[in-house]
Amino acid sequence: MDLTTLIFKTVFLIIILMVTLIVAMYSTYGERKVAAFMQDRRGPNRAGLFGLLQPLADGVKMFMKEEIIPLTANRKLFIIGPSIAMTTALLTGVVIPWGGTLTIGGHEFSLQIADLNIGILYVFAMVSIGVYGIMIGGWASNNKYALLGAIRAASQMISYELAMGMSIIALVLTTGSLSLHDIVAQQHGMHWNIFYQPLGFLIFLTCAFAETNRAPFDLPECETELIGGYHTEYSSMKLGFYLFAEYINMFISSAVVATLYFGGYNMPFIDGLGLSQNTVTLLGTGFFFIKIFSMIFLFMWIRWTLPRFRYDQLMNMGWKGLIPLGIFNILATGIYYFFTELK
Amino acid sequence: MQTLTNRSVVASDKKMTILEWIYIPAIIKGMSITIRHFFRKKTTISYPEQKREFSKVYRGQHVLKRDDEGRERCTACGLCAVACPAEAITMKAAERKPGEEHLYREEKYAEIYEINMLRCIFCGDCEDACPKEAIFLTDRIVESQYKRKPFIYGKDILVEAMDLRIDISARQTEAVYQFKLDKRFAHNK
Amino acid sequence: MILLFYLLSAIMIICALAVVFSKNPINNVIYLIVCFLAMAGHYILLNAQFLAVVHIIVYTGAIMVLFLFVIMLLNLNKAIILRKSTVTRVSAVITGGVFFLVLLAATRQTFEIHARYPFASDFGLVSGIGKVLFSEFLLPFEISSILFISAMVGALMFGKKDV
């Protein structure tokens, strides 16, 4: 790797980090606006124009609040918990292809930080580590509600990871690659994977909701039963980290869904326009972000529509609904390719 | 059982059909409802800039009226305090000294007149009971406070200022006047 | 590279020792998780990205979560751990020693294996592993996958109230 690429990658990494944080920040604002609009209210509109400074005000509030660590809590783990949640949430953005290639001064730069040949699995691994943040934080609080929340989070994650894996296996059967870059490249034009894997998409989406602890699967922080769930004892910016990690996860999983099923940065009908390489790349990145924001909106839309699952319903759906469906999907995809590819 | 509305649905345990079991139609139905609300006109009234239209006879914060020459009308007769169902009104009467004729209309006046706004239920009975046309409810909103003490309004708040007379014509109509003259409804039988 | 190797090895050994010597079960599990993550780092150093990620998913992400889950549910504390009798201690030492011998014997053969399968840089990648799994080791691979499926169906059956 030569020096220019290294510099570009570093700059790009920082940009992606900033974008992730800003999008997550404004997701909180968006969440409140969407919630308000769906309930015939106006939402935050006092801080700045249309309330656009609300996330900053919230951040300042979080930082200024008194920091409380319970006496009976395990101090070290209590602090490590939110850090893990935040770190793993941020780590996933590395493998997502944010755009095609840019040519600056004769050098060609790919708008993807690391093109791992096992990109999907990397995302998957980060998601599975992410649960430790919740588990450790919940246990270290030394509070029964927090512990219950942590336990719920763990069992929910394990259950839905299986079904998520199943849907990904079917997807990999159709694409024939684990690299996110290749998967996006294959969906050029309108060959989006959602048309080839509609059932897999539904399973993946449901699991994505469950893995990000979003409603209707937000049982780990279910306020009607568990006060605040795993973050009952948290206050100040540590609580902020947990809440923020949730929004980062939402952004990243929206990006992953858009990459896997909606063609990533591919734009239909762009080839006929005869634009230069750089324009196409930038337009594609813009279009990718439109897709991501639509997915985030879907996340919020569903949150403010559906009621929360009961715990046994959650487990029933994961184990008896989604996993058999996932196996069926793999079988169907496999049989289809067996008969079409052999000829 | 007779239903009050035609919207009620009797719950049942019957086995769900396949279409119901996969839930997706129901989810889509729910999401279409929420998205319709998304674009609907918002019902919020942004308070300080926008104010809700009050009814003409809205009963808000009280005012102790002065007469045309600026003299306090209240004579501290105590009828309002008797009429008050929430016992929010207290007062202390005093005698008018010579030289104070421009301040008080009659020989007796209220030295202290207090309404506890936390107790007041804004029923308007004090207004009905008043034989001197002195107390009225207005369309002003009682402001919120951080402590309980400021909610006890004294004469400094209740008596209208000379240069800021409060219009109570909406509540002082001819019909109201006739009602007050009718001895059958009088509080002091 | 060499520096990274020694760093990861040091983390692994320290964490492994901490697993053995730490008294708090939750800390044990967390040290084990760090140990596994360092091991995944070793895999990446060997250019076996697939192995590394699968190791993280399966061991760190699933099995250790279950460990932590169970320990949290039981809420084991330092006070609960009982003193073991001498017989148990002696038998534990013997078992451990024998296991160590077996491990030594097994590692002695690795040089031979290394000769049979010379190190290829793309061996740990998806394609390399896939080729080996689906040609040379097809039967064991398929048998173990059937075992996994049946285990999963079995778990489902446990979950059902009325079979």
Side-chain angles (χ1 to χ4, degrees):
Chain A
M1 199 183 284
D2 60 312
L3 194 66
T4 40
T5 323
L6 198 68
I7 291 169
F8 178 79
K9 291 266 179 197
T10 318
V11 172
F12 188 58
L13 190 70
I14 292 165
I15 290 174
I16 287 299
L17 206 64
M18 287 291 128
V19 166
T20 312
L21 290 175
I22 288 169
V23 169
M25 207 164 95
Y26 274 92
S27 297
T28 62
Y29 167 78
E31 174 96 66
R32 293 171 68 177
K33 274 284 187 197
V34 168
F37 274 45
M38 284 184 178
Q39 297 164 353
D40 293 345
R41 297 183 285 115
R42 283 179 207 273
N45 61 356
R46 295 285 150 167
L49 194 69
F50 302 116
L52 278 172
L53 297 179
Q54 189 67 43
L56 291 179
D58 285 343
V60 169
K61 182 198 82 174
M62 283 287 187
F63 273 114
M64 296 310 229
K65 280 206 157 183
E66 187 189 353
E67 184 141 5
I68 299 166
I69 297 178
L71 261 184
T72 50
N74 187 329
R75 270 190 84 90
K76 261 181 273 169
L77 293 181
F78 193 79
I79 296 167
I80 289 174
S83 330
I84 294 179
M86 194 74 173
T87 316
T88 51
L90 283 171
L91 271 173
T92 323
V94 171
V95 289
I96 289 166
W98 302 96
T101 48
L102 274 180
T103 316
I104 304 165
H107 288 277
E108 204 169 69
F109 300 111
S110 162
L111 288 186
Q112 182 184 18
I113 295 160
D115 179 20
L116 299 183
N117 59 358
I118 36 136
I120 297 186
L121 293 179
Y122 174 81
V123 174
F124 213 51
M126 284 306 127
V127 169
S128 63
I129 294 182
V131 71
Y132 284 117
I134 293 175
M135 284 187 84
I136 289 174
W139 182 82
S141 304
N142 204 358
N143 172 315
K144 57 186 165 193
Y145 296 108
L147 180 68
L148 275 175
I151 285 171
R152 279 184 176 192
S155 48
Q156 176 178 326
M157 287 277 193
I158 292 178
S159 309
Y160 278 78
E161 244 168 46
L162 284 175
M164 197 181 219
M166 298 280 176
S167 64
I168 285 181
I169 289 173
L171 182 83
V172 170
L173 277 178
T174 58
T175 57
S177 170
L178 287 169
S179 149
L180 288 173
H181 182 261
D182 292 353
I183 289 174
V184 171
Q186 277 184 5
Q187 301 178 63
H188 191 68
M190 275 304 276
H191 299 286
W192 292 357
N193 278 332
I194 184 171
F195 303 124
Y196 300 99
Q197 285 286 333
L199 184 61
F201 168 69
L202 270 182
I203 298 171
F204 188 86
L205 191 69
T206 318
C207 295
F209 280 121
E211 298 277 312
T212 46
N213 291 328
R214 292 282 302 181
F217 300 101
D218 55 347
L219 285 118
E221 47 191 301
C222 161
E223 64 273 4
T224 42
E225 296 163 23
L226 298 182
I227 311 180
Y230 60 90
H231 54 57
T232 302
E233 294 286 356
Y234 279 90
S235 61
S236 181
M237 206 52 208
K238 290 206 207 70
L239 174 70
F241 261 37
Y242 270 129
L243 302 182
F244 214 61
E246 185 189 317
Y247 282 99
I248 293 171
N249 275 331
M250 191 167 86
F251 171 62
I252 295 292
S253 49
S254 297
V256 170
V257 170
T259 311
L260 293 183
Y261 289 97
F262 289 97
Y265 52 78
N266 279 314
M267 251 171 119
F269 320 119
I270 192 85
D271 297 332
L273 296 177
L275 298 166
S276 74
Q277 168 76 22
N278 282 357
T279 331
V280 170
T281 303
L282 290 178
L283 274 177
T285 307
F287 197 54
F288 184 48
F289 271 91
I290 291 174
K291 284 174 191 171
I292 293 174
F293 292 143
S294 319
M295 278 310 299
I296 292 179
F297 180 73
L298 185 73
F299 266 77
M300 292 170 180
W301 186 2
I302 285 185
R303 170 165 180 188
W304 296 105
T305 303
L306 298 181
R308 186 181 293 125
F309 276 89
R310 214 171 53 211
Y311 197 67
D312 59 320
Q313 289 172 333
L314 174 94
M315 283 297 152
N316 270 350
M317 185 164 136
W319 287 94
K320 296 186 199 163
L322 292 179
I323 290 178
L325 261 183
I327 294 176
F328 168 76
N329 194 28
I330 294 174
L331 270 181
T333 318
I335 289 169
Y336 174 79
Y337 281 103
F338 184 69
F339 283 112
T340 50
E341 305 263 303
L342 273 188
K343 281 166 198 167
Chain B
M1 198 183 75
Q2 195 193 344
T3 54
L4 295 174
T5 62
N6 54 1
R7 284 176 300 178
S8 63
V9 178
V10 179
S12 76
D13 290 348
K14 75 171 171 58
K15 213 156 167 43
M16 286 186 286
T17 59
I18 291 286
L19 215 61
E20 284 171 338
W21 181 78
I22 58 172
Y23 284 112
I24 290 172
I27 290 174
I28 291 172
K29 196 174 148 199
M31 286 173 73
S32 71
I33 290 175
T34 39
I35 201 71
R36 249 179 283 146
H37 277 271
F38 192 86
F39 295 109
R40 198 172 277 186
K41 197 175 164 294
K42 306 303 164 212
T43 50
T44 312
I45 294 170
S46 311
Y47 168 59
E49 302 97 56
Q50 242 179 329
K51 283 189 179 144
R52 188 184 291 277
E53 191 95 345
F54 284 152
S55 105
K56 260 177 26 190
V57 288
Y58 181 86
R59 298 194 296 259
Q61 186 191 322
H62 312 68
V63 63
L64 282 174
K65 290 295 286 179
R66 295 172 189 270
D67 67 1
D68 295 337
E69 292 160 45
R71 301 173 297 188
E72 284 180 22
R73 303 178 74 112
C74 180
T75 59
C77 65
L79 284 175
C80 46
V82 173
C84 183
E87 301 188 7
I89 304 176
T90 54
M91 67 188 74
K92 188 179 167 200
E95 203 175 335
R96 184 179 67 183
K97 300 270 160 37
E100 287 180 337
E101 284 85 357
H102 65 288
L103 290 176
Y104 312 110
R105 200 164 67 155
E106 293 178 36
E107 291 89 47
K108 192 164 149 257
Y109 71 95
E111 189 186 5
I112 297 170
Y113 191 102
E114 284 180 349
I115 301 179
N116 186 339
M117 288 299 174
L118 289 173
R119 298 194 69 125
C120 180
I121 59 170
F122 302 98
C123 61
D125 275 7
C126 46
E127 195 183 272
D128 286 350
C130 186
K132 298 290 178 189
E133 306 284 302
I135 188 163
F136 285 97
L137 273 67
T138 61
D139 59 355
R140 293 173 299 172
I141 292 172
V142 176
E143 280 171 15
S144 48
Q145 308 282 351
Y146 286 104
K147 297 216 169 81
R148 283 164 177 266
K149 194 78 183 166
F151 277 110
I152 298 169
Y153 282 16
K155 272 179 81 174
D156 51 331
I157 304 173
L158 290 170
V159 179
E160 65 178 344
M162 277 308 292
D163 50 350
L164 211 84
R165 303 299 284 261
I166 285 151
D167 179 34
I168 40 92
S169 53
R171 299 191 63 77
Q172 200 184 27
T173 57
E174 189 59 29
V176 172
Y177 196 61
Q178 290 305 320
F179 172 83
K180 282 199 169 184
L181 286 179
D182 194 333
K183 289 293 173 214
R184 279 175 301 160
F185 302 113
H187 286 271
N188 49 341
K189 285 205 177 104
Chain C
M1 274 312 217
I2 288 292
L3 199 71
L4 216 57
F5 172 79
Y6 282 118
L7 186 71
L8 284 172
S9 306
I11 292 174
M12 256 183 91
I13 290 168
I14 291 168
C15 285
L17 287 176
V19 172
V20 179
F21 290 113
S22 168
K23 287 272 198 275
N24 187 344
I26 294 275
N27 284 352
N28 286 346
V29 173
I30 289 165
Y31 284 127
L32 198 54
I33 292 165
V34 178
C35 183
F36 279 165
L37 285 178
M39 199 192 278
H42 274 304
Y43 282 134
I44 290 173
L45 283 186
L46 288 171
N47 204 19
Q49 300 168 4
F50 181 74
L51 265 185
V53 165
V54 167
H55 185 263
I56 290 180
I57 293 175
V58 174
Y59 284 93
T60 326
I63 293 179
M64 291 323 287
V65 170
L66 276 181
F67 273 36
L68 202 58
F69 183 84
V70 170
I71 289 171
M72 278 182 183
L73 265 183
L74 295 178
N75 207 10
L76 293 170
N77 283 325
K78 278 178 212 165
I80 298 176
I81 298 171
L82 303 164
R83 283 186 62 82
K84 309 280 192 303
S85 67
T86 336
V87 183
T88 352
R89 286 181 180 212
V90 171
S91 53
V93 168
I94 292 171
T95 331
V98 170
F99 183 64
F100 186 66
L101 275 180
V102 173
L103 266 185
L104 261 186
T107 40
R108 266 185 61 228
Q109 292 186 347
T110 48
F111 303 105
E112 204 182 314
I113 289 174
H114 201 273
R116 232 165 73 201
Y117 302 97
F119 181 77
S121 65
D122 66 334
F123 182 74
L125 303 184
V126 196
S127 50
I129 287 183
K131 268 178 200 135
V132 173
L133 275 185
F134 283 100
S135 56
E136 207 167 330
F137 299 103
L138 183 64
L139 189 66
F141 179 67
E142 289 297 326
I143 287 174
S144 58
S145 66
I146 287 170
L147 192 69
F148 275 126
I149 284 275
S150 51
M152 209 157 70
V153 174
L156 279 180
M157 295 305 279
F158 274 128
K160 274 197 167 175
K161 262 184 223 149
D162 40 345
V163 183

